[in-house]
Every structure is written in C-alpha cells, then in structure tokens.
Amino acid sequence: KAKEVGRNTYEFYEAELNQIAIRRHQLANEMRQAIKNEELSLVFQPQLNIQENKVIGAEVLLRWHHPILGHISPGEFIPIAENTGLIREIGSWVLDNACKKIAECREIGHEIRLAVNLSALQFRQSNLPESIAATLEKYRIPPKLLEVEITESMLMRDVSQAIDILERLKEMQIRIAIDDFGTGYSSLSYLRRLPLDALKIDRSFIDEVVVDADDTAITLAIISMAKSLRLEVIAEGVETEQQQEFLIDNNCDDIQGYYFSRPLAFEDFKAFLEKRSQQECSSSQSKANQ
Ligand code: C2E
Ligand code: MG
Ligand code: MG
Ligand code: MG
C-alpha cells in the first residue's frame, strides 16, 4: 500500500514537473515573438522622498501580456530569458524604451529619474556601458536621470569584474542602486569599494518591519550602515501608513510600494506626475504664506 502511494505521489510529481517543463519551453519559444508582436510593455512605480515628500523618480518594471496565456509575471519569464540568452535583446529593449520615456517626461516639464533592472547576463556584457551611452545620446538625456539596479549576487560572482563595470558606469554619471538588499550575502567590506549611490531594502524586511523585532533591527541596521557609507537608502514594498511612518521616523530617505503607488502604465504615470506637481506646488506656496 505504502509503495503504491509512493508511486502515485511520484507519478503525480512527474506529471507536474512535466507541466512546468512544457510551460517553460513554450514561454522560451514564444518570447522570441513577444518583442516583435508588441506584447511587452513597461510600467512605472513612483518613488517618494519621505523626508521632503517629493517624487524622485520611478522604477521601470517589465510586463508581458501573452495573447493566450495572459499576464506572465517577470518573476517567471526573466529567469527563462536569462537561460535562453534572450534577456540581452529584452534588456536592451527595456533600456531603450526607458530612456525614451525619460525624454518624453522632460518634454512635458518633468525632470524625472527612472531606474531600470539589469539582469545578470546583461550586467556582464562587455559593451554594456557603451550601449547605455549610445541610448542616452540617442534620446539626448542627462545620465543622472538613469539609474541601474543590480543585485548583490550579481556583484559577488566576480567582484573585480563587477567593480570594473560599475566604475565605467559611474564615470558616465549613471546612478547605481543595489536591489533586494539584505537577501544576498554581499560582503560589507566590498560595498565600501563599490561606486554605489543607493541601497534598496528588500521588501521581505519591510513587510513586518513594525511588528517583527528582527525585521525592525535589520532595517535599522541597513539604514544606519547606508548613512555611514553615505549612500541613499530606499525601502521597497511599503504597503501601509505605519510602515511609512516608521521609515520617516528612522531617517530612511525614500520609499516605493503600493501604499504610495502601484506600478502605473505610462499615461497614468504622467497624470500622476502632473497631479503631484500641482500638490507639491500648492503645499510649498502655503508654507511660504505661513
Ligand atoms: P524588483 O526589481 O525587486 O521589483 C520590485 C517588485 O516588487 C515588482 O514586482 C513590484 O511590482 C513589486 N512591488 C512593488 N511594491 C510592492 C508592494 O508594496 N507590495 C508587494 N507585494 N510588491 C510590490 P514585479 O514587477 O513582479 O517584478 C518582479 C521582479 O522581476 C523584479 O523585482 C525584478 O527582479 C524583475 N524584473 C522586472 N522588470 C525587469 C526588467 O525590465 N529587467 C530585469 N532584468 N528584471 C526585471
Ligand atoms: Mg528592482
Ligand atoms: Mg527589489
Ligand atoms: Mg529583484
């Protein structure tokens, strides 16, 4: 009997693994068409400086709407694209489009910074700095309006090569942020040697930051470390007013998360910027009148 149950479980597993493999295979194949068929799009999640209550920019997030399978999350398809190498093409599509959006925002008077996620493969591409430079040039945008996000694990794979790439990006005056900070195992002594601008505290710490003593301690430690290394610090995945208050009180610079705004389609993002700049304008006027 036990043997039978065991076998059934195994067969069930096998069937499920097959399903996963089939879907991966299907996604890998159909991703090739996705760019051409305009199934990829970008959404923009605003970032707020909580000390000054000012929008500082947005993170650019990739979306894939498959004609039959519907929405496929980047958490699922980015690793596949990374395996097939298609991430190179997708990554440069993202960069090109992000820069184009920076230019479009400037045209309507919003000098806004956009942050783009780099994949591991893209980061190690030897011509990455040149291709970013060419894209900035193409849309005539100042490099300080572009931020790249990389993860700790991408840095630690080959530290001296990573330093070399980062220094080339830094020379171009592009901003560099470490994404999902705290989840990898980066050595703190390396951090000091890297030309970084910001740390993004991973959302797994923010989730229970006001109720879990460990998460409180880790978040405070990251903020204080960032401050002493003169890095900006931004908290990801802020979903409640309590979390935001906690971060304001403890000197975190910026936040990003559903509480301030969900990721927005470009038209909605522009409307959001318009509305905010009217608010910021009237609140600074009322301060001046006081
Ligand atoms: P990430 O770079 O850490 O991006 C933040 C993720 O957290 C996004 O998920 C965002 O929608 C989500 N998020 C933001 N605020 C909240 C919140 O308050 N609560 C919760 N629960 N989630 C929140 P998304 O868009 O599904 O992206 C997942 C990951 O896929 C990203 O994590 C990033 O690693 C990767 N990714 C997305 N776009 C790109 C891209 O263009 N290129 C590359 N290489 N990777 C990308
Ligand atoms: Mg990111
Ligand atoms: Mg993150
Ligand atoms: Mg990530």
Side-chain angles (χ1 to χ4, degrees):
K1 181 99 214 253
K3 205 169 176 184
E4 210 171 278
V5 171
R7 206 183 74 197
N8 285 341
T9 317
Y10 175 72
E11 278 171 2
F12 173 75
Y13 253 159
E14 199 181 47
E16 202 175 23
L17 282 177
N18 269 331
Q19 284 307 310
I20 294 170
I22 289 167
R23 181 170 162 102
R24 289 186 133 235
H25 194 73
Q26 182 186 10
L27 294 184
N29 282 331
E30 297 185 354
M31 219 180 289
R32 278 173 222 293
Q33 306 300 316
I35 298 182
K36 215 172 60 201
N37 297 350
E38 295 182 24
E39 293 164 17
L40 298 183
S41 63
L42 299 178
V43 288
F44 303 82
Q45 187 175 33
Q47 299 172 327
L48 177 73
N49 180 300
I50 45 179
Q51 304 302 335
E52 290 173 19
N53 194 30
K54 263 193 151 141
V55 178
I56 50 157
E59 179 175 6
V60 175
L61 296 160
L62 189 55
R63 294 291 176 259
W64 180 12
H65 190 86
H66 187 283
I68 295 156
L69 301 173
H71 174 75
I72 300 160
S73 88
E76 182 179 12
F77 73 80
I78 297 274
I80 300 174
E82 183 86 24
N83 279 332
T84 60
L86 205 66
I87 193 68
R88 292 200 184 88
E89 204 180 316
I90 292 177
S92 43
W93 182 88
V94 170
L95 262 170
D96 187 277
N97 274 271
C99 289
K100 188 172 172 180
K101 299 307 186 203
I102 295 173
E104 285 180 32
C105 285
R106 290 185 90 204
E107 268 166 36
I108 57 166
H110 297 289
E111 191 93 347
I112 209 81
R113 180 174 78 214
L114 294 182
V116 169
N117 292 283
L118 295 184
S119 80
L121 210 60
Q122 208 181 356
F123 181 63
R124 301 281 169 182
Q125 256 180 302
S126 58
N127 65 346
L128 177 76
E130 288 76 16
S131 86
I132 294 181
T135 312
L136 292 171
E137 180 77 11
K138 176 177 170 191
Y139 295 107
R140 302 178 179 286
I141 53 176
K144 63 163 194 198
L145 294 184
L146 182 67
E147 180 172 86
V148 293
E149 293 187 5
I150 52 179
T151 60
E152 289 167 277
S153 57
M154 284 160 60
L155 291 175
M156 292 306 132
R157 208 159 297 167
D158 178 344
V159 177
S160 61
Q161 190 199 14
I163 292 179
D164 181 62
I165 298 168
L166 292 181
E167 277 172 354
R168 285 159 71 202
L169 293 173
K170 199 66 249 170
E171 246 165 59
M172 295 164 52
Q173 289 171 323
I174 287 168
R175 272 182 57 105
I176 302 165
I178 306 293
D179 202 359
D180 306 339
F181 188 78
T183 59
Y185 72 116
S186 57
S187 143
L188 299 184
S189 66
Y190 283 131
L191 276 185
R192 202 169 40 103
R193 289 171 47 199
L194 301 171
L196 306 176
D197 297 284
L199 298 182
K200 298 190 80 177
I201 308 174
D202 191 69
R203 95 178 127 82
S204 60
F205 304 116
I206 302 304
D207 197 25
E208 301 201 319
V209 73
V210 288
V211 292
D212 182 295
D214 293 338
D215 292 339
T216 308
I218 292 170
T219 301
L220 293 179
I222 297 176
I223 294 171
S224 117
M225 187 192 65
K227 295 283 158 183
S228 46
L229 293 173
R230 287 178 298 278
L231 299 175
E232 244 175 75
V233 60
I234 173 163
E236 289 194 277
V238 176
E239 293 183 350
T240 67
E241 187 181 356
Q242 289 89 326
Q243 292 166 348
Q244 172 162 323
E245 287 303 319
F246 172 90
L247 293 160
I248 293 174
D249 293 344
N250 290 288
N251 288 319
C252 186
D253 300 304
D254 314 317
I255 58 158
Q256 180 187 333
Y258 295 167
Y259 181 63
F260 182 54
S261 173
R262 297 215 162 228
L264 304 170
F266 188 60
E267 290 306 311
D268 299 329
F269 178 60
K270 283 193 295 189
F272 183 92
L273 291 177
E274 282 297 315
K275 202 167 141 223
R276 280 294 306 194
S277 68
Q278 282 160 15
Q279 284 171 4
E280 281 167 17
C281 200
S282 63
S283 81
S284 67
Q285 249 165 26
S286 70
K287 263 184 210 155
N289 292 339
Q290 270 170 14

